[in-house]
Amino acid sequence: MSLVTNFEPIQSAKAEADLSATLWARLRQEAEDALSRERALAPIFVNSILNRPAFEDAVIHRISARLGNEIVPAYLVNDMFGQAVAGDATIGAGFRADIIAVLDRDPACERLIEPLLFFKGFHAIQTHRLAHWLWTNGRKDFALYLQSRSSDVLQSDIHPAAVFGKGIFLDHATGLVAGATSVIDDDVSILQNVTLGGTGNKTGDRHPKVRRGVMIGAGAKILGNIEIGACSLIAAGSVVLHPVPPHTTMAGVPARAVGTADCAEPSRSMNQILSQLAYESFTYTI
Ligand SMILES: CC(C)(COP(=O)(O)OP(=O)(O)OC[C@H]1O[C@@H](n2cnc3c(N)ncnc32)[C@H](O)[C@@H]1OP(=O)(O)O)[C@@H](O)C(=O)NCCC(=O)NCCS
């Protein structure tokens, strides 16, 4: 698994719009291709992708369909998502960076439609982005409802106040718990059954701060208001109770430094990924 994508920050609105268009062209081709091979899933390919006007609408539609139920229907979640994306440009930027992170770092992922339609880790982060927007805009009950619904449907329990960067990859996502004062910076990868929790001894700011490029292995428990330094690796099953310096591999219970880590080596740059997507889209159409 590649551990982190080497993102150059995308700053201009034009660059974000170009990225969205590149992703959208590729997704539509993938959906048409998938539809020709698997007619039984036509309603998903058509409703969530081919009938949508843009990448962001497709993400919103698919996740709203998963979250909707008879009490809070999908169209209502969809409307709320639309308002959030229109009101906060970082949410759409998160959609785009996160889907590229999955394609880049998940060796099991070959197409963009896989996270968009099926991967609950991608869906759980985007649900959190909406819940966080609602939380910070005074809609705490709707935010908590989404946390609860995401926990039911996507098996991830992320407090709406938690602050997530972009380019986050949640692999499987089952059993992820992130507390209210936890912070996850850009380009972090987290496997299943990870807890970013409090120790139980503190109130207030009590949850971990995970810096850029960290990889947290399956089942790791990180407890307390401690910083996990940039590009560190937390081994599967570790229990981390103390701050971790950057570029450190931690393992065991309690976790100890077992080596150094370098997150730059296995990554591809955003430009490389985009060139590849654009090239593949072009070769599909000729
Ligand atoms: C930590 C990890 C990233 C390997 O990093 P690495 O830098 O290549 O580390 P190494 O394999 O060289 O191991 C270094 C030491 O840590 C130990 N170690 C590695 N992973 C460990 C773990 N999960 N628990 C306890 N000790 C571990 C090794 O035994 C080794 O100890 P030694 O020096 O006494 O022999 C990897 O072991 C890991 O845990 N990855 C998580 C992957 C995951 O969650 N997969 C689930 C997929 S569904």
Side-chain angles (χ1 to χ4, degrees):
M1 181 195 307
S2 173
L3 300 175
V4 60
T5 303
N6 216 2
F7 284 114
E8 296 88 17
I10 292 186
Q11 278 159 4
S12 76
K14 175 166 185 331
E16 286 288 344
D18 289 350
L19 173 57
S20 176
T22 302
L23 292 171
W24 187 229
R26 168 70 180 251
L27 267 164
R28 290 188 62 86
Q29 284 167 355
E30 289 180 357
E32 276 165 15
D33 190 38
L35 179 62
S36 70
R37 283 182 283 106
E38 184 53 272
R39 304 298 295 188
L41 293 181
I44 295 183
F45 299 135
V46 172
N47 292 337
S48 284
I49 300 179
L50 296 172
N51 277 356
R52 306 266 70 85
F55 168 69
E56 295 72 22
D57 301 87
V59 173
I60 290 172
H61 185 275
R62 178 61 187 140
I63 297 173
S64 301
R66 287 195 84 169
L67 295 175
N69 63 13
E70 64 285 356
I71 300 164
V72 180
Y75 77 82
L76 229 157
V77 181
N78 199 100
D79 281 357
M80 202 61 71
F81 242 132
Q83 288 177 41
V85 169
D88 181 350
T90 69
I91 297 177
F95 289 2
R96 296 183 281 275
D98 294 342
I99 203 165
I100 290 174
V102 182
L103 188 67
D104 190 40
R105 291 180 229 157
D106 184 347
C109 177
E110 294 175 347
R111 301 167 300 162
L112 291 169
I113 55 167
E114 294 166 17
L116 188 133
L117 295 179
F118 307 124
F119 288 6
K120 68 185 187 304
F122 178 71
H123 296 171
I125 309 173
Q126 309 326 324
T127 303
H128 171 67
R129 294 191 188 286
L130 173 57
H132 184 70
W133 182 81
L134 289 162
W135 183 266
T136 52
N137 283 279
R139 307 277 304 265
K140 293 197 169 177
D141 289 327
F142 206 132
L144 290 168
Y145 172 76
L146 283 178
Q147 178 189 5
S148 147
R149 188 74 188 134
S150 177
S151 180
D152 283 351
V153 178
L154 307 171
Q155 288 85 53
S156 294
D157 200 328
I158 306 171
H159 192 282
V163 176
F164 276 38
K166 65 183 192 310
I168 311 286
F169 169 42
L170 295 186
D171 198 5
H172 308 292
T174 310
L176 170 70
V177 175
T181 59
S182 47
V183 174
I184 300 177
D185 285 354
D186 293 352
D187 304 338
V188 167
S189 300
I190 300 180
L191 285 97
Q192 70 272 19
N193 289 313
V194 164
T195 298
L196 303 178
T199 57
N201 303 329
K202 293 268 179 353
T203 55
D205 191 357
R206 61 198 180 281
H207 297 115
K209 312 293 180 271
V210 180
R211 297 303 171 214
R212 188 168 196 234
V214 168
M215 193 286 298
I216 306 176
K221 312 296 169 203
I222 304 178
L223 304 180
N225 182 8
I226 56 176
E227 181 159 310
I228 308 301
C231 296
S232 291
L233 292 179
I234 309 300
S238 305
V239 176
V240 183
L241 301 168
H242 300 289
V244 174
H247 296 279
T248 306
T249 302
M250 302 291 293
V253 182
R256 308 208 179 284
V258 294
T260 55
D262 178 3
C263 67
E265 189 271 324
S267 66
R268 290 184 292 163
S269 74
M270 180 68 111
N271 282 343
Q272 281 174 297
I273 297 165
L274 287 181
S275 310
Q276 184 193 332
L277 289 177
Y279 172 76
E280 288 174 1
S281 295
F282 175 71
T283 52
Y284 262 111
T285 50
I286 54 174

